[in-house]
Amino acid sequence: MSVRVRFAPSPTGQVHIGNIRAAIFNWLFARHAGGKFLLRIEDTDRERSTPEAVQAVLDAMTWLGLDWDEQPVYQSTQLPQHQAAVERLLQTGRAYRGCKGDDPSSGEVVFFRMPGTDMTFHDEIKGTLVKKAGDLKDFVIVRSDGSPVFHIANVVDDIGMGITHVIRGDDHIENTYRHVAIFQALDATVPNYAHLPMIVNAQGKPYSKRDGAAFVGDFREQGFLAEALFNYLSLLGWSPGQDLEKMSRTEAVALFTLERVKSGPAQMDLRKLTHLNSLYLSEMPPSAFLQTVRAYAATRVPWVAEADAELFDRVAGLLQSRTTLLANVDAWRYFFEDQPAQDEDAVKKTLHKPGVRESLIRVRDGLAALPTLTAAAVETVLRAAETAGGLSANKLNQPVRVAVTGVTIGASIYDIIVLLGASRTRTRLDRAIAKIAVTNQVV
Ligand code: GLU
């Protein structure tokens, strides 16, 4: 049997990570088996299925490298097949016309007739699942306006597309008992099922946008790499056995099996994902990192296009290993501005302290006396200024950092000064020195 699986999103807005994780698992399963990974857009909700929502699905898949086989199937084009299946069910007595709640004014609908027996199916992840006949009532398959509902459209399309395995979220388990009954009523082969564990937050509740980034587009905007998100989501509910955190796409394809998908909920941990992203970023060849940063910034961080290109390359080289998200690039701005913005709180806490002004003057003069600006030489100047001011070692690192960059965190201050160069560093130190003098007079 050659494997045919599908991702069947309802395009109703942005693409939630739970949905795209289902796409990833289907893709891994198909690629592992050398089968087909198909795409079906379940766009029968004409109000919510906008062209933008469809595009969001296609973009998310393309970005994550989830290439699909064959032409995508748009469910809205399959209406004749859905209607034909309903006709057949009506003829064989497996469906009947009626009114909801016996109220004729609500209009006539079509009900599917459940077989009246317990329903059971084998789930590749959850094992054998059973539901009592008494808990499975007949249900509507065609609304009073003539439109088929999800259940019939979903099953008829799976039959039409020759789907062998339905891999989807475990929120669909209740539907599956009904779907199995429809497959059987249509004399079709029931596909194999695999219901994926829900993605939950730290409290064990379904992970939603209230918990942080929840849509593929959000992760992309924040500067997660597609490879890192793919890697993280493929391990969210699946484990290849070894305790692997970082895994290439090729390895994941080679190792993926449904047997190793966990049945319990999978907890989303943004910190772990961010850490993984920083690993991917730091392991990139510098030229690839630079290219990625520039591509990200092109539409999101406008000042980068104007920035001195040579300095930008060097800054990227210095900060690559400290970058956790591509969005961090905006914080590099201080390298390029004549007068970088200053964090006033940091200024108050580090610069407006007795003796700091004198120390900064010593640092400025010490730097001016250097024949060449190297990190080691800058360090020597700072140590000498500390000794002269009766300060312990490294006490001046933060004041100098705030004076020069305006903020309290960043790469090594010695490296930063070397990158900025003598003249820019001097201008910034002078500005801080003047600022302290003015404020001290006022106070
Ligand atoms: N459109 C449904 C969903 O997104 C399809 C579920 C499925 O059968 O995969 O939940």
Side-chain angles (χ1 to χ4, degrees), residues 183-382:
F183 276 102
Q184 289 168 343
L186 289 169
D187 292 322
T189 310
V190 180
N192 298 294
Y193 283 99
H195 287 93
L196 306 175
M198 178 129 299
I199 298 181
V200 296
N201 64 16
Q203 289 73 43
K205 297 267 168 348
Y207 185 86
S208 80
K209 60 181 181 206
R210 280 185 300 278
D211 299 305
F215 301 114
V216 176
D218 295 344
F219 290 97
R220 192 175 179 177
E221 280 312 305
Q222 290 179 17
F224 285 92
L225 296 173
E227 294 77 10
L229 186 62
F230 181 98
N231 183 158
Y232 184 77
L233 290 179
S234 64
L235 291 171
L236 205 53
W238 169 64
S239 153
Q242 310 98 310
D243 197 13
L244 280 179
E245 184 193 28
K246 190 163 182 285
M247 192 190 337
S248 75
R249 196 176 285 253
T250 322
E251 276 176 285
V253 167
L255 296 171
F256 190 83
T257 60
L258 289 173
E259 290 83 70
R260 299 213 71 102
V261 176
K262 298 179 192 134
S263 69
Q267 193 183 315
M268 176 77 188
D269 186 338
L270 280 172
R271 279 191 14 250
K272 278 195 189 153
L273 169 58
T274 308
H275 174 69
L276 192 60
N277 202 56
S278 67
L279 285 184
Y280 272 89
L281 286 168
S282 62
E283 288 172 13
M284 283 173 123
S287 59
F289 175 73
L290 190 63
Q291 210 183 352
T292 306
V293 166
R294 282 197 173 278
Y296 173 86
T299 51
R300 300 170 182 91
V301 194
W303 64 261
V304 170
E306 316 278 303
D308 178 295
E310 204 239 18
L311 180 60
F312 190 83
D313 290 8
R314 293 169 64 210
V315 170
L318 176 65
L319 294 178
Q320 177 173 357
S321 63
R322 307 178 65 95
T323 306
T324 54
L325 295 172
L326 293 171
N328 295 162
V329 63
D330 198 25
W332 302 355
R333 193 174 186 147
Y334 62 73
F335 281 99
F336 304 90
E337 290 171 323
D338 287 339
Q339 304 238 320
Q342 289 188 313
D343 172 350
E344 286 309 324
D345 194 44
V347 168
K348 210 167 116 207
K349 287 199 182 114
T350 57
L351 298 187
H352 293 172
K353 288 276 163 66
V356 167
R357 183 169 180 272
E358 293 68 32
S359 294
L360 290 184
I361 292 171
R362 286 193 188 101
V363 170
R364 179 194 65 191
D365 296 345
L367 291 174
L370 289 176
T372 45
L373 203 59
T374 63
V378 171
E379 189 171 359
T380 317
V381 168
L382 261 71

Side-chain angles (χ1 to χ4, degrees), residues 47-68:
E47 267 156 41
R48 296 173 73 201
S49 301
T50 61
E52 294 76 31
V54 173
Q55 197 55 47
V57 171
L58 302 179
D59 287 348
M61 293 181 71
T62 307
W63 183 60
L64 286 164
L66 298 168
D67 55 328
W68 57 90

